[in-house]
Amino acid sequence: MKERDISILIITTITVLSLFVYNSPTDTGIAIKKEMKDIFSPEKVVKQSIEGMDEEIQMKLNEGHRSEYVMYVDEERYMLTHGEKSDVITPLHPAPENYPEVTMEIEQFPNEKPLDLVEIIEAQLHKEFTKLEVAEITNPIKGYQIHGAAGNKADSKIVNAYVISNGKEGSFVITQFYFLEAAEGHGARLHHMLETFKIVE
């Protein structure tokens, strides 16, 4: 096949796929259109269950460090702060005195693969959490989760560390800390925000 014919074939294929995404009446076409719209929409209403009650939360689109990802944040309750190496989401109102801080840190490791990082992070967390559970998951995000609890009291520290591929040769590590009493509050809200995490680099 001549080079000119190959170019025409590629252009035609792209055109057909674009028409399918934007004009297809099928459920697949509609879902793709909605997903693309939601990713770039500046605001998004998210339905979530908090402490046994359903509610709709207006979230705003935030860009990550060096625009490596986007994520919807409940800005009525949290703020995202950009750091030199990582970003951190924290509540606008801090936890009660003597309770562990509530945070969700997002950091990219461009040259380290997920499974390698899982072993490293698990070893680090074992210093504070004697019992850890490691699982491969698809919700709230596809990757690996390391979960641990430092006790069973109201102020016991909880960790959820998520390790996911960055789509290249590296990984993102998203680490949540909160306390047991806040599992159905902050824990659930952080979970729902993480569901909106999208790599855009």
Side-chain angles (χ1 to χ4, degrees), residues 96-126:
E97 189 176 354
N98 298 324
Y99 275 70
E101 290 186 352
V102 176
T103 63
M104 179 158 67
E105 183 180 23
I106 304 160
E107 184 174 0
Q108 182 172 197
F109 296 82
N111 303 310
E112 298 186 60
K113 295 182 178 180
L115 277 175
D116 295 334
L117 280 173
V118 167
E119 293 183 6
I120 295 171
I121 294 167
E122 185 180 8
Q124 292 173 343
L125 290 175
H126 260 308

Side-chain angles (χ1 to χ4, degrees), residues 13-178:
T13 302
I14 293 172
T15 302
V16 170
L17 288 173
S18 298
L19 288 172
F20 172 78
V21 170
Y22 288 100
N23 297 306
S24 173
T26 65
D27 290 343
T28 302
I30 293 170
I32 293 172
K33 286 171 63 178
K34 185 177 186 302
E35 179 73 3
M36 293 175 69
K37 181 180 178 182
D38 285 349
I39 288 175
F40 297 104
S41 175
E43 295 185 353
K44 179 177 183 178
V45 176
V46 176
K47 290 184 178 181
Q48 54 189 27
S49 179
I50 304 296
E51 297 179 343
M53 298 184 65
D54 293 335
E55 59 181 45
E56 292 187 349
I57 302 297
Q58 186 82 22
M59 295 190 183
K60 293 186 178 180
L61 187 69
N62 281 243
E63 286 191 10
H65 182 63
R66 298 176 183 170
S67 300
E68 296 163 341
Y69 67 89
V70 293
M71 185 178 190
Y72 285 91
V73 176
D74 177 1
E75 292 188 352
E76 290 186 2
R77 297 174 178 85
Y78 302 89
M79 64 178 177
L80 186 149
T81 304
H82 298 293
E84 185 64 30
K85 294 183 178 180
S86 65
D87 300 333
V88 181
I89 293 176
T90 53
L92 297 179
H93 304 290
E97 189 176 354
N98 298 324
Y99 275 70
E101 290 186 352
V102 176
T103 63
M104 179 158 67
E105 183 180 23
I106 304 160
E107 184 174 0
Q108 182 172 197
F109 296 82
N111 303 310
E112 298 186 60
K113 295 182 178 180
L115 277 175
D116 295 334
L117 280 173
V118 167
E119 293 183 6
I120 295 171
I121 294 167
E122 185 180 8
Q124 292 173 343
L125 290 175
H126 260 308
K127 298 174 183 178
E128 186 173 3
F129 301 89
T130 55
K131 185 178 180 181
L132 293 169
E133 297 176 357
V134 181
E136 190 170 359
I137 60 168
T138 57
N139 184 271
I141 201 165
K142 186 177 180 180
Y144 299 91
Q145 179 189 30
I146 306 168
H147 171 78
N152 55 12
K153 297 181 180 179
D155 62 351
S156 294
K157 194 173 185 178
I158 304 293
V159 62
N160 284 310
Y162 300 92
V163 185
I164 67 170
S165 170
N166 69 352
K168 299 178 182 178
E169 296 298 318
S171 309
F172 276 96
V173 176
I174 303 161
T175 309
Q176 301 173 349
F177 287 109
Y178 51 92

